[in-house]
Amino acid sequence: MAAWTANDIPDQSNRTVVVTGANSGLGAETARALARAGAQVVLACRDVAKGEEVAADIGPNAQVRKLDLADLSSVREFAADLAATHPTIDVLVNNAGVMAVPFRRTADGFEMQIGTNHLGHFALTMLLLGRITDRVVTVSSTMHRIGKIDLDDLNWERRRYERWPAYGQSKLANLLFTYELQRRLTAHGSPVKSLAVHPGYSSTNLQYRSESRYGKLVEWVTPVIGQSAAMGALPSLYAATAADAEPGGFYGPGGLFEMRGHPKKVQSNARSHDQGVAASLWSLSEQLCDVRSPLTST
């Protein structure tokens, strides 16, 4: 994996990849690189107009579909529409996300960060899983380390809301989901891989739209210490395409403190490997999203 770059992506001809949040930042760079390698890329975007701009830049290998992960009716509509045109999908990249936003709720009443970053992607993955042939890649963050899963108050209905712990909870949920999905795929004899990634500290719109009190500081620091979105997308691209990407693997930048650099396999914290919490979160997510996984035992 030494100095792995987008030039190392194997030929993606005759493959279909869905990338959520592909209208900007990491998602746009992921979509561009995959399309250059020959993949047909579905840009799943809340902002369709911006998605169309990216698709126009990419060319005929890209198409845009409306997807608002903060609205489960939109997730279901996206999955149904995609089924009509794409009977199989090779790779799903769960990339979209919000970070450290003020307290607000999704259309379904979920806290916005857990609702968008985890529950929306959980529902989408379950609705598409029967047609995914190769792998699911979910974008987490080093900020999972500050997260704790509160199964009794996942949506911050009783706790005093704190935007960064809420973000950390959502990113920890991404990892618990990734590892639990791999365990269930393996138990069912499925060849599909589930992998997680993080982009390090990347200069993207997400950094400039956190709406936190540190927003101005982040805007100043990001261009100085952050790596480009193209570099930040490399872990996603490696996990989505490399033949030797390990099932259940977690990939991020290989530089100092995993903030920047070429992708390598990295480690997540002990909380992310708690199988009891992962199984309980899976069940709660099914209940909240009103979806049942084909990998859930009867």
Side-chain angles (χ1 to χ4, degrees), residues 9-30:
I9 297 173
D11 182 20
Q12 299 294 296
S13 299
N14 301 314
R15 288 168 63 82
T16 299
V17 183
V18 175
V19 182
T20 69
N23 56 280
S24 65
L26 299 174
E29 292 299 331
T30 300

Side-chain angles (χ1 to χ4, degrees), residues 16-17 22 26 50 88 99 101 125 127 171 174 187 190 194 204-205 218 235 244 247 254-255 287 298:
T16 299
V17 183
L26 299 174
K50 289 185 177 179
T88 61
M99 182 176 74
V101 296
T125 304
L127 291 168
K171 295 288 98 179
N174 289 152
S190 172
S194 173
T204 69
N205 288 341
V218 170
D244 57 352
Q287 176 186 339
T298 57

Side-chain angles (χ1 to χ4, degrees), residues 195-230:
L195 308 97
V197 302
H198 80 80
Y201 197 109
S202 299
S203 183
T204 69
N205 288 341
L206 193 65
Q207 305 295 341
Y208 298 101
R209 294 180 180 174
S210 70
E211 303 178 56
S212 76
R213 74 176 103 177
Y214 306 110
K216 291 298 181 183
L217 177 62
V218 170
E219 288 183 24
W220 181 81
V221 168
T222 296
V224 178
I225 66 173
Q227 63 180 352
S228 68

Side-chain angles (χ1 to χ4, degrees), residues 142-174:
T142 55
M143 293 296 285
H144 79 273
R145 299 181 186 281
I146 69 168
K148 296 181 180 179
I149 301 296
D150 189 331
L151 293 167
D152 294 321
D153 191 22
L154 193 69
N155 285 299
W156 298 83
E157 295 169 323
R158 294 183 292 278
R159 292 176 286 169
R160 181 174 66 86
Y161 179 72
E162 297 179 80
R163 65 181 77 197
W164 282 109
Y167 179 66
Q169 177 183 242
S170 72
K171 295 288 98 179
L172 177 58
N174 289 152

Side-chain angles (χ1 to χ4, degrees), residues 8-263:
D8 296 306
I9 297 173
D11 182 20
Q12 299 294 296
S13 299
N14 301 314
R15 288 168 63 82
T16 299
V17 183
V18 175
V19 182
T20 69
N23 56 280
S24 65
L26 299 174
E29 292 299 331
T30 300
R32 287 190 181 100
L34 291 168
R36 282 196 299 268
Q40 294 293 318
V41 184
V42 178
L43 283 63
C45 305
R46 182 175 61 83
D47 191 328
V48 172
K50 289 185 177 179
E52 293 287 3
E53 292 177 7
V54 175
D57 179 59
I58 291 174
N61 279 15
Q63 59 179 280
V64 180
R65 298 289 181 92
K66 172 75 173 180
L67 173 64
D68 183 354
L69 290 160
D71 184 346
L72 291 179
S73 66
S74 174
V75 175
R76 292 188 177 92
E77 183 176 353
F78 172 86
D81 289 347
L82 195 65
T85 56
H86 295 77
T88 61
I89 301 159
D90 295 283
V91 180
L92 169 63
V93 181
N94 290 323
N95 164 82
V98 293
M99 182 176 74
V101 296
F103 182 76
R104 58 177 71 107
R105 294 201 177 278
T106 69
D108 304 279
F110 308 140
E111 183 274 315
M112 183 61 70
Q113 298 191 80
I114 197 72
T116 302
N117 299 351
H118 169 62
L119 292 170
H121 279 127
F122 178 89
L124 177 66
T125 304
M126 294 305 100
L127 291 168
L128 298 182
L129 193 58
R131 295 184 286 115
I132 296 173
T133 63
D134 188 9
R135 59 190 81 180
V136 177
V137 177
T138 300
V139 179
S140 182
S141 165
T142 55
M143 293 296 285
H144 79 273
R145 299 181 186 281
I146 69 168
K148 296 181 180 179
I149 301 296
D150 189 331
L151 293 167
D152 294 321
D153 191 22
L154 193 69
N155 285 299
W156 298 83
E157 295 169 323
R158 294 183 292 278
R159 292 176 286 169
R160 181 174 66 86
Y161 179 72
E162 297 179 80
R163 65 181 77 197
W164 282 109
Y167 179 66
Q169 177 183 242
S170 72
K171 295 288 98 179
L172 177 58
N174 289 152
L175 285 166
L176 287 161
F177 167 63
T178 294
Y179 300 150
E180 181 68 9
L181 177 57
Q182 185 60 65
R183 284 189 289 270
R184 294 181 183 232
L185 288 165
T186 300
H188 280 72
S190 172
V192 174
K193 297 179 182 180
S194 173
L195 308 97
V197 302
H198 80 80
Y201 197 109
S202 299
S203 183
T204 69
N205 288 341
L206 193 65
Q207 305 295 341
Y208 298 101
R209 294 180 180 174
S210 70
E211 303 178 56
S212 76
R213 74 176 103 177
Y214 306 110
K216 291 298 181 183
L217 177 62
V218 170
E219 288 183 24
W220 181 81
V221 168
T222 296
V224 178
I225 66 173
Q227 63 180 352
S228 68
M231 283 295 295
L234 289 182
S236 293
L237 292 166
Y238 180 86
T241 66
D244 57 352
E246 298 177 15
F250 183 33
Y251 296 90
L256 185 66
F257 303 124
E258 299 175 17
M259 291 183 67
R260 58 194 303 141
H262 297 275

